[in-house]
Amino acid sequence: MAQQDIITQLQLELERHKQTIKQLENENNRLTLLNKRVNEQLNATLDGTGLCLWEQHIPSGNLTIFNQQWGHLLGFTREELPAHISSWKNNLHPEDKDWVIQAFESHVAGNAEIYQAVHRMVHKDGTVAWVSDRGRIIEYGINGEPLRIMGTHIDVTQEKRYEQDLAKLAHRDPLTNLLNRNALIAAFEQGKSTHSTHQGALCFIDLDGFKIINDHLGHRYGDSLLIHIANDIAQICDQLFSTPDTTQTPRHHVARFGGDEFVILAHCNDVERLTTLAKTLLSHYQHPIELEGESIKVGLSIGISLFDELDEFTNVCEQADKAMYSIKKHGKHNFLFW
C-alpha cells in the first residue's frame, strides 16, 4: 500500500474518531442537561413538600443534603453547624436524644429494617422544631459493613402544633386554659383505675355577683375577670396541693365547667386541709379587687363533696353542686361540706 493511501486512511480514521468524540460530547451534554433538569424538578418537588433528602457516609459521619442548605431547618449556616452526624446528635431535643440515637444506631447495626422517628430538634433561637425522620442503608462494603445511609426528613412542626392545639381544645377550656368537664371526668376515672383506695374531694365554686358585673361592664371585662379568677384558683391550689416531685400523679385538677362555674378535684380527703383551701379562697376575695382600672367585689360560693372508690362522678358532682346552692341561699361567699 502506498504511503499516500496509508495517510488518507489514517485521516479518514481520525475523522471518524473525531465524529464519534463529537457525538459522545453531544450525548454527554444532553445527559448533563437532562440530569440538571431532573434534579431541578426533584428539588422543586421536594422543596414544595418540605421534604429534605440526606445521605450520610457512615465511616466518616459526613452528611450531604441534596435539595436544601445544610442547617436550614434549624437556622444555622454551614460555618456554624458542620455537616456531620455529631451536629445532628448535638441538636436533638434533650428529651428525645437518647431514644432517637438508639433507633438510628439499631438500623445501622442491622437490628432494624429501617430507621424511622418523629422527634424534636432545637432551633438556633431556642425554639423547638418537629421532624419526621427516616432512612435506610443503601451501600455496604466488601465485608458487609454499612457504608452509606440515605433518607429524608420533613419539618412537621406546624402539623404537630395543630395536633397539640386540637388536643388542647378537646381537654381545655378555651378561655381560661383550665381543664374542661370531659377532662376532669377523665381525671376522676383515671384516679379510680390507678388507685385501689380512690379518695378525695370535689369542690364546686360559683361566683357571686358575676352576672351583674358582666352585664354592667361587658362580656370582654367578664372574660378578663374569669381568666383572673381561674389563675388565682390554680395558684392557690398549687400552693396547697402540689409536690416538689413532678413525676408523681397530680394531687389536684382545676376545671371550668362553663359560665362562672369552677371545679377543683383534689386527691385529698383531709377535711382540715380542704377547709384551709376554702378559707384561703374566700379570704382572697374578701375585699374588692382591682382589674383593668375597675374596683369590683366578687364572692365565691363553695360546695365540697368527699368521695371514695365506690362513688360515681355524677353523684359526687351533684352533691357538691347542692352544697354550693345551699350557700347561695344562705348569704353567699362561704363554703359547706355535703
Side-chain angles (χ1 to χ4, degrees):
M1 182 180 292
Q3 184 177 4
Q4 184 61 41
D5 293 337
I6 294 174
I7 293 174
T8 301
Q9 186 175 355
L10 289 174
Q11 288 176 337
L12 291 173
E13 191 71 24
L14 177 62
E15 188 63 30
R16 283 197 296 271
H17 283 302
K18 286 182 179 179
Q19 291 177 357
T20 300
I21 291 172
K22 185 65 176 178
Q23 290 174 351
L24 290 174
E25 288 177 347
N26 290 338
E27 181 65 12
N28 182 64
N29 291 336
R30 187 185 72 82
L31 292 175
T32 300
L33 180 61
L34 180 61
N35 181 62
K36 180 181 177 182
R37 288 176 178 173
V38 168
N39 284 331
E40 289 173 348
Q41 292 170 352
L42 176 62
N43 290 343
T45 302
L46 293 176
D47 290 342
T49 61
L51 186 148
C52 176
L53 186 63
W54 58 266
E55 179 185 301
Q56 181 202 338
H57 179 248
I58 296 173
S60 67
N62 291 330
L63 287 167
T64 301
I65 304 296
F66 290 100
N67 65 307
Q68 292 182 12
Q69 278 193 328
W70 167 252
H72 172 75
L73 174 66
L74 302 179
F76 292 95
T77 64
R78 191 180 183 91
E79 290 72 28
E80 293 174 315
L81 194 70
H84 194 270
I85 186 66
S86 60
S87 299
W88 172 73
K89 290 180 178 179
N90 290 337
N91 283 278
L92 289 168
H93 191 280
E95 294 179 9
D96 295 344
K97 186 172 184 177
D98 290 343
W99 73 264
V100 172
I101 292 175
Q102 183 179 3
F104 180 84
E105 292 179 348
S106 178
H107 172 60
V108 173
N111 298 323
E113 289 189 8
I114 61 171
Y115 158 64
Q116 185 172 358
V118 177
H119 61 84
R120 292 165 291 179
M121 299 195 74
V122 181
H123 196 277
K124 180 181 178 180
D125 61 11
T127 58
V128 173
W130 282 88
V131 298
S132 177
D133 210 0
R134 60 185 297 139
R136 184 189 295 273
I137 302 293
I138 58 171
E139 184 181 349
Y140 294 87
I142 56 175
N143 296 319
E145 72 278 12
L147 294 181
R148 289 190 302 138
I149 179 173
M150 178 174 281
T152 61
H153 70 232
I154 307 174
D155 185 349
V156 293
T157 305
Q158 290 186 340
E159 290 82 353
K160 271 292 180 180
R161 287 175 180 168
Y162 180 66
E163 180 182 308
Q164 291 168 346
D165 287 343
L166 286 179
K168 186 176 178 180
L169 287 173
H171 299 94
R172 294 281 174 174
D173 170 53
L175 178 64
T176 63
N177 200 36
L178 296 178
L179 298 182
N180 60 21
R181 178 187 289 269
N182 290 336
L184 194 70
I185 294 174
F188 182 90
E189 296 300 329
Q190 183 180 14
K192 290 180 68 174
S193 64
T194 55
H195 300 284
S196 57
T197 56
H198 180 48
Q199 297 177 334
L202 197 72
C203 306
F204 206 103
I205 305 171
D206 191 86
L207 304 188
D208 302 326
F210 176 75
K211 186 177 185 305
I212 296 174
I213 296 171
N214 203 40
D215 292 343
H216 180 65
L217 297 176
H219 293 292
R220 190 198 64 79
Y221 187 87
D223 287 347
S224 296
L225 178 60
L226 291 173
I227 294 170
H228 178 85
I229 292 174
N231 292 336
D232 285 346
I233 293 174
Q235 185 176 7
I236 290 171
C237 286
D238 285 343
Q239 292 171 351
L240 288 175
F241 295 120
S242 289
T243 62
D245 186 357
T246 57
T247 63
Q248 290 186 354
T249 303
R251 298 186 61 187
H252 74 280
H253 305 272
V254 184
R256 175 178 175 240
F257 277 12
D260 57 345
E261 297 177 341
F262 297 91
V263 180
I264 302 169
L265 171 62
H267 298 291
C268 167
N269 62 350
D270 183 343
V271 172
E272 184 176 346
R273 199 170 190 184
L274 294 167
T275 298
T276 299
L277 169 64
K279 288 183 176 180
T280 302
L281 289 168
L282 293 172
S283 176
H284 191 78
Y285 291 99
Q286 188 65 42
H287 304 288
I289 62 173
E290 302 294 328
L291 182 65
E292 297 185 4
E294 300 284 346
S295 179
I296 59 170
K297 184 72 172 66
V298 62
L300 309 179
S301 293
I302 306 172
I304 306 173
S305 175
L306 301 178
F307 62 82
D308 59 30
E309 63 274 9
L310 299 178
D311 290 310
E312 297 297 328
F313 180 85
T314 303
N315 294 334
V316 177
C317 191
E318 183 179 347
Q319 291 167 0
D321 189 42
K322 287 181 178 179
M324 181 273 295
Y325 271 107
S326 181
I327 292 295
K328 286 282 190 185
K329 293 178 181 178
H330 300 90
K332 301 181 180 181
H333 198 62
N334 208 336
F335 72 96
L336 179 69
F337 283 88
W338 171 256

